[in-house]
Amino acid sequence: MKLLVINGPNLNMLGIREPDIYGSQTYADLEGFIHHAAVECGIQVEVFQSNHEGDIVDKIQWAYGKMDGIIINPAAYTHTSIAILDALKAVSLPCVEVHLSDVRQREPFRQVSYAGMACETSFIGLGFEGYRKAIQHFTKKG
Ligand code: DQA
């Protein structure tokens, strides 16, 4: 099984950005965590990060016919991007949404998730562990 993990804008700033919300671990730490979880679960993973909405749309389209599923943390684009929602629907790959922080307990503008509308499930507010749970969601389905 091959999964594509997509991380959206400002997640490359982990460790620097708002550590009270996102913690002190860096984006490199997150990539390492995801690769380790993938090995543990016996699957292949490709991890992609971009600050650009169109690049994320391109990567989702690229996954069509190559990947078995997508794990996505669209970051701020979660709450704004119909283009990312449409791309996920277009490729029709099974998709799981992850957020490091508990967006449900944050500002009103974070209460909508467009990408989430194309996802089978979401892991929210579990920090890095949410990515492991997302991988396990795919491997448990077998
Ligand atoms: C986030 C939550 C979003 O609201 C925010 O814009 C992010 C990160 C999270 O992982 O908690 O950049 O997706």
Side-chain angles (χ1 to χ4, degrees):
M1 180 185 288
K2 282 192 264 177
L3 299 179
L4 172 63
V5 179
I6 298 177
N7 287 312
N10 301 305
L11 288 170
N12 58 312
M13 296 294 282
L14 285 179
I16 297 165
R17 74 180 290 208
E18 301 177 275
D20 46 321
I21 296 173
Y22 298 110
S24 57
Q25 288 187 286
T26 65
Y27 187 71
D29 293 334
L30 177 59
E31 280 190 323
F33 180 92
I34 294 167
H35 284 292
H36 187 260
V39 170
E40 228 176 53
C41 294
I43 59 133
Q44 288 176 41
V45 82
E46 171 159 340
V47 184
F48 174 80
Q49 191 276 330
S50 177
N51 294 325
H52 306 281
E53 185 176 20
D55 290 347
I56 294 172
V57 168
D58 285 345
K59 194 66 184 182
I60 293 167
Q61 292 183 6
W62 168 87
Y64 180 73
K66 296 189 190 73
M67 295 282 146
D68 300 305
I70 296 175
I71 294 169
I72 189 162
N73 180 349
Y77 290 139
T78 307
H79 319 298
T80 61
S81 181
I82 296 166
I84 290 174
L85 168 63
D86 282 350
L88 293 172
K89 286 167 110 173
V91 298
S92 190
L93 286 164
C95 187
V96 171
E97 176 187 23
V98 173
H99 295 287
L100 295 165
S101 67
D102 188 354
V103 283
R104 293 164 302 203
Q105 305 298 325
R106 298 181 63 192
E107 302 92 329
F109 60 82
R110 294 186 206 275
Q111 300 312 310
V112 118
S113 171
Y114 289 105
M117 294 172 194
C119 291
E120 291 181 354
T121 190
S122 303
F123 295 99
I124 296 176
L126 303 175
F128 286 11
E129 192 55 33
Y131 290 83
R132 193 207 307 272
K133 296 248 187 257
I135 291 171
Q136 286 170 345
H137 172 83
F138 284 102
T139 54
K140 278 178 191 153
K141 283 202 300 186

